[in-house]
Amino acid sequence: MKKIKNFQRLLAFLSITGWSLAIYALLIFDKARPDRAIGYYLSKGASVRLAWDPIQTVQLEYIIWACAAISFVSLAFNYYFSHHSKMGYWFNIPLLLLSSVAAGLYITFVI
C-alpha cells in the first residue's frame, strides 16, 4: 500500500510540474509571437505589434516540448501502475500531453 501512495505522490509531482510549465508558457506566449491579422487590426484602428522577441519564442518552444516530455513520462508511469494495481487512471495527464504536443507542433511549424 505504501508503494501506491509513493507512486501517487510521484504522479502528482509530475502533473503539477507539467501544468506549471504550461501556465508559464501561457504567460510568455504574448511576447513570443507576432500579431497575425495585421489587415484586420489596421482596418479597426488598433495598434499592431510587428516585431516579437525571438529569444522568448525559442524559450517557449523548449518549455512546451519539456511539458510534453514530462507528461509522456507521467502517462507511461500511470499506464503501467494502473494495469498492475488497483489505482485508477488520471485524466489530466493525457490532456496535458495532447495540448502540449499540439502547441509544440504549432510553434514549430506555424510561427
Side-chain angles (χ1 to χ4, degrees), residues 44-62:
K44 298 296 182 183
S47 62
V48 178
R49 182 173 41 96
L50 297 175
W52 68 96
D53 190 1
I55 295 170
Q56 282 190 343
T57 305
V58 172
Q59 181 185 13
L60 177 66
E61 185 177 358
Y62 289 151

Side-chain angles (χ1 to χ4, degrees), residues 3 27 29 48-49 80 86 92 96 98:
K3 189 176 184 180
L27 290 174
F29 181 70
V48 178
R49 182 173 41 96
Y80 175 76
K86 293 182 179 183
N92 67 347
L96 179 62
L98 179 68

Side-chain angles (χ1 to χ4, degrees), residues 62-78:
Y62 289 151
I63 289 170
I64 288 177
W65 285 119
C67 187
I70 288 171
S71 60
F72 182 74
V73 168
S74 183
L75 182 68
F77 279 135
N78 194 6

